[in-house]
Amino acid sequence: MEAVLSLFFIHTNMFDIFQYGFILRGLEAGLIIAVIAPLIGIFLVLRRYSLIADTLSHVSLAGIALGLLLKINPIITALIASISSSIFIEKLRINKKVYGESALSIFLSGSLAIAIVLIGIAKGFNINLFNYLFGSIVTVKQIDVYLIGILGMVVIGLIIFFYKELVYVTFDEESAKVSGINTNFINTLLIVLAALTVSLAIPIVGILLVSALIVLPVVTALQFKKSFKQTILIAEVISIVSVFLGIFVSYYLNLATGGTIVLIALGIFFLSLFF
Amino acid sequence: MQIDHSENIVELKNISFAYGGKNVLEDITFNVHKGDYLGIVGPNGGGKTTLLKIIIGLLTPSHGTVHLFGQDICCFNKWSKIGYVPQKATNFDNSFPLTVEEVVTMGRYGKPKNDKIVLQSLKQVEMLEFRNKLIGDLSGGQQQRVFIAKALAGEPEIIFLDEPTVGVDLKTQEQFYRILKDLNKKLKLTLVLISHDIDVIASETTEIACVNKKLIYDNNPENFLRSEKLKKLYGSGVKFVFHTH
C-alpha cells in the first residue's frame, strides 16, 4: 500500500486526477455503484442467489450488443433486457416449470448466444464492446452518470422502504408469509433491483466482473460475524474502498479499471479470512 | 381470567388436499377453541404439516374451507394475531448475520416498534442474556426458544408450532414444554403443536387431533391414546408407551 501511494506522489501530483472529466464521471458513477452493489448483494448471497448476478450480466450483454447495433445508449437497452428477463426468471421459478438453477443457465447461455449473433450481424464492434466486457470508466458518459445517479437512488430508496420485508423473506420465507408479507412481490422486487444494479454497474466493472462486485464485499463482511446492519455497513466500506482505490490505482498504473477493483476486493476478502 | 372455550379461533370444514394426484388429506373437519392446547399427532407422511400449512394459508386445500378468527383464509388480514414456529427453523445457515434480538424483533412485523416487549419475550423463554449473540451461534434448543420468543413478541392470540423439538436434547425438550405449558396456562395463549412424539402430546396438551389422511379428534388425549381408535389410525401392532407427570 505504501509503495503504491509513494508511486502516486513521485510521478504526479495526486490531485491531477481530478482534472479529467472522465475520471470525475467514473468516480461519481463508481461511488453510486459501490453503495448499491452490497445492498443488493447481501440479499442475493444469503438467499444463495449469487449466480443470478452473473446471469443478468450476460443478459445485459445481449442488451448492450443490441444497443450498439441500433445506436441506442447501451445502458438503456441493457436495463430493458435484464429487467424483463429477471421478471421472467422469477415467474419460471414460482411456476416450478424448471429448476431455479436451470432457469439461470438457460438465460445465461441463451443471452450469450443472442449477443454473439448480434455481434456477428454487426461484423464486430469497435473497442466499445471490449470496454463493456471488462469495464472501463472511459465508457461512462455524463448522461450515464445521471442515469446511474437517478436509478441508484431508486434502488437505495426501495431497499430502505422494504428493508424489514427483504430481511424477513431472506431469513425465513414461510414465516414472512404467515406474518402477512406478500412474498411474491418482495421476491420479484429483489430480482428486479438486482437487474437494475447489474446493468448500472456494467460500465464500471464490466459484464464479466459485475457479480464479483456484488458478491465479494458481502462475503468478506460475513466473515466478521456481526449483526445484519453491521454486516451491511462493513460491506459498504469494503465496496467503496475497492471501487475508489481501484479507479485511482488503475489510473496511475494504467491498468484495467474493472479488474483492478475486483482484485482489490479479492485482496480484502483474503485478508478477512485471517481474522 | 376465565377463558371462553366456545369461541372458535380456527374452523376447518371438509378439508381435502391432493398432491400429484394422491390424496394427502381427506374430509377433515374440526375447530380450535380459544385457550386450547391442541396436539396434532400422526405417522410420518400422514399429512400433519400439510394440515398446518393449510390452516395458516401456506397451502390451498383442494376442497373445504378454512376460517381464522371468523374470517375466510382467502381474505384473512389479521396476521399479527398469529405466531408461527416452523419445522425447519433450525435449518437456516449458521453464518446468517442476525442477532437474537434482531430475530425476535422480526416477530413484531406489522406492529409498532417496542423494545420492551422484545426483551420481555426473550425473558419469558429464558434467553435474555443471549440477545446480542448471532442466532447461528446458539444450540438447536436455544434457537427454538428464540423462535418462540419471536412468535411471542408479536403478541399473538394463537401460536402454531411444527415439530419444534426435532434435534433437541431431552433435558432442553422438557424445559421447552414447560415454557409452552406456562404460556397456555398463565397467558391463556392458544397453542397448536405438531409432534410425532405421542408421549409428549399425551402428557402436555389438552386436546388431541390424530391425522393419518383422515382425522380423529378428542378432548382427552390420555384416554384417547389408550383407546382402540388410535390403532385404527396407525394400524395394529403399534405399541404406545405413556408416562404421567
Side-chain angles (χ1 to χ4, degrees):
Chain A
M1 186 70 201
E2 265 182 36
V4 175
L5 281 177
S6 62
L7 254 173
F8 290 164
F9 291 109
I10 290 165
H11 291 290
T12 174
N13 182 322
M14 181 126 180
F15 298 101
D16 277 358
I17 190 169
F18 297 115
Q19 291 173 7
Y20 300 101
F22 76 93
I23 291 280
L24 272 179
R25 288 196 297 273
L27 284 171
E28 284 162 4
L31 176 68
I32 300 160
I33 298 304
V35 170
I36 59 173
L39 279 182
I40 287 294
I42 189 146
F43 298 109
L44 297 184
V45 168
L46 291 172
R47 300 196 69 175
R48 304 279 195 281
Y49 260 16
S50 303
L51 205 66
I52 200 148
D54 250 327
T55 302
L56 292 174
S57 69
H58 284 77
V59 171
S60 300
L61 175 66
I64 283 168
L66 191 70
L68 290 174
L69 190 70
L70 301 176
K71 304 209 182 332
I72 302 171
N73 187 335
I75 297 188
I76 292 174
T77 45
L79 276 169
I80 295 169
S82 65
I83 290 175
S84 47
S85 306
S86 68
I87 293 169
F88 200 53
I89 290 171
E90 185 58 18
K91 282 242 157 73
L92 279 180
R93 197 184 69 90
I94 293 172
N95 295 342
K96 293 188 176 148
K97 288 219 163 129
V98 281
Y99 293 119
E101 319 92 86
S102 312
L104 292 186
S105 63
I106 290 168
F107 271 84
L108 194 148
S109 43
S111 51
L112 197 56
I114 293 172
I116 291 167
V117 167
L118 288 177
I119 293 164
I121 292 172
K123 304 211 165 32
F125 292 110
N126 50 18
I127 190 79
N128 241 336
L129 186 74
F130 191 81
N131 284 341
Y132 282 112
L133 275 176
F134 299 105
S136 162
I137 48 171
V138 183
T139 331
V140 182
K141 299 178 199 75
Q142 193 57 45
I143 179 84
D144 298 340
V145 176
Y146 293 138
L147 197 64
I148 292 172
I150 293 166
L151 291 178
M153 291 304 156
V154 170
V155 173
I156 294 169
L158 285 171
I159 289 180
I160 292 172
F161 192 75
F162 290 107
Y163 176 79
K164 272 189 196 168
E165 287 82 356
L166 282 163
V167 175
Y168 207 158
V169 172
T170 303
F171 183 59
D172 183 351
E173 193 166 340
E174 275 195 352
S175 295
K177 211 170 180 178
V178 179
S179 301
I181 293 174
N182 183 345
T183 51
N184 283 344
F185 168 72
I186 294 297
N187 286 331
T188 309
L189 176 77
L190 177 63
I191 197 166
V192 168
L193 291 181
L196 260 171
T197 307
V198 165
S199 297
L200 294 179
I202 282 173
I204 307 289
V205 278
I207 285 150
L208 299 175
L209 296 171
V210 71
S211 68
L213 188 65
I214 289 175
V215 171
L216 268 175
V218 172
V219 176
T220 310
L222 284 173
Q223 306 303 318
F224 295 93
K225 289 185 141 290
K226 297 284 182 193
S227 72
F228 208 90
K229 281 183 182 151
Q230 285 170 322
T231 305
I232 291 180
L233 211 65
I234 297 169
E236 286 292 342
V237 171
I238 295 167
S239 174
I240 292 169
V241 166
S242 305
V243 170
F244 267 37
L245 213 57
I247 291 175
F248 275 94
V249 171
S250 66
Y251 170 76
Y252 284 107
L253 302 181
N254 202 18
L255 303 171
T257 325
T260 314
I261 291 171
V262 172
L263 280 177
I264 290 170
L266 205 58
I268 300 174
F269 168 68
F270 282 118
L271 276 178
S272 77
L273 293 180
F274 294 107
F275 278 99
Chain B
M1 186 172 70
Q2 270 297 328
I3 287 291
D4 177 13
H5 281 277
S6 61
E7 187 185 330
N8 289 340
I9 289 191
V10 179
E11 291 164 277
L12 295 186
K13 255 187 212 141
N14 311 109
I15 293 291
S16 297
F17 185 81
Y19 185 76
K22 203 182 138 209
N23 276 355
V24 181
L25 295 170
E26 274 176 18
D27 200 27
I28 287 180
T29 299
F30 76 97
N31 298 332
V32 181
H33 316 99
K34 192 168 182 167
D36 279 358
Y37 184 174
L38 171 74
I40 301 181
V41 284
N44 282 337
K48 303 186 292 286
T49 298
T50 306
L51 180 63
L52 182 68
K53 286 190 173 175
I54 287 173
I55 297 176
I56 54 179
L58 289 174
L59 289 174
T60 311
S62 326
H63 295 286
T65 56
V66 181
H67 282 81
L68 290 178
F69 295 95
Q71 218 177 15
D72 195 316
I73 190 75
C74 70
C75 23
F76 183 70
N77 57 9
K78 300 170 190 158
W79 292 106
S80 57
K81 289 187 171 195
I82 288 177
Y84 172 49
V85 181
Q87 187 174 20
K88 287 178 180 165
T90 50
N91 264 11
F92 58 86
D93 192 331
N94 273 349
S95 63
F96 205 101
L98 274 178
T99 62
V100 166
E101 199 171 332
E102 281 177 317
V103 170
V104 178
T105 307
M106 259 183 202
R108 282 197 67 75
Y109 178 78
K111 292 201 162 177
K113 191 174 151 59
N114 190 330
D115 293 339
K116 221 174 120 189
I117 292 176
V118 168
L119 297 182
Q120 191 192 324
S121 308
L122 277 168
K123 210 170 160 187
Q124 261 166 339
V125 297
E126 296 157 35
M127 287 299 291
L128 188 60
E129 57 188 305
F130 295 92
R131 67 180 189 275
N132 293 323
K133 286 223 170 215
L134 280 196
I135 184 78
D137 287 343
L138 305 180
S139 71
Q142 290 171 328
Q143 284 176 354
Q144 284 299 35
R145 277 192 275 159
V146 172
F147 286 109
I148 299 249
K150 171 174 167 279
L152 286 176
E155 300 170 284
E157 292 184 27
I158 183 167
I159 300 183
F160 295 94
L161 305 108
D162 190 358
E163 300 269 13
T165 54
V166 167
V168 174
D169 67 84
L170 216 62
K171 201 178 153 214
T172 317
Q173 277 190 32
E174 277 174 17
Q175 186 188 20
F176 187 84
Y177 287 119
R178 181 174 49 75
I179 292 169
L180 286 185
K181 213 167 208 168
D182 275 0
L183 292 175
N184 177 246
K185 285 205 169 141
K186 291 181 188 159
L187 296 182
K188 314 294 179 201
L189 253 175
T190 310
L191 300 175
V192 175
L193 169 73
I194 282 192
S195 178
H196 64 278
D197 191 343
I198 295 172
D199 196 17
V200 163
I201 298 284
S203 56
E204 299 291 332
T205 63
T206 57
E207 359 267 304
I208 187 163
C210 289
V211 181
N212 190 9
K213 207 174 347 177
K214 296 190 172 177
L215 175 130
I216 301 171
Y217 169 84
D218 206 299
N219 61 1
N220 189 335
E222 281 209 42
N223 284 349
F224 173 76
L225 290 172
R226 286 174 209 281
S227 74
E228 286 296 305
K229 288 186 207 166
L230 192 63
K231 278 186 188 154
K232 267 194 225 158
L233 206 70
Y234 278 84
S236 54
V238 183
K239 262 171 101 181
F240 300 105
V241 183
F242 304 108
H243 70 87
T244 44
H245 288 278

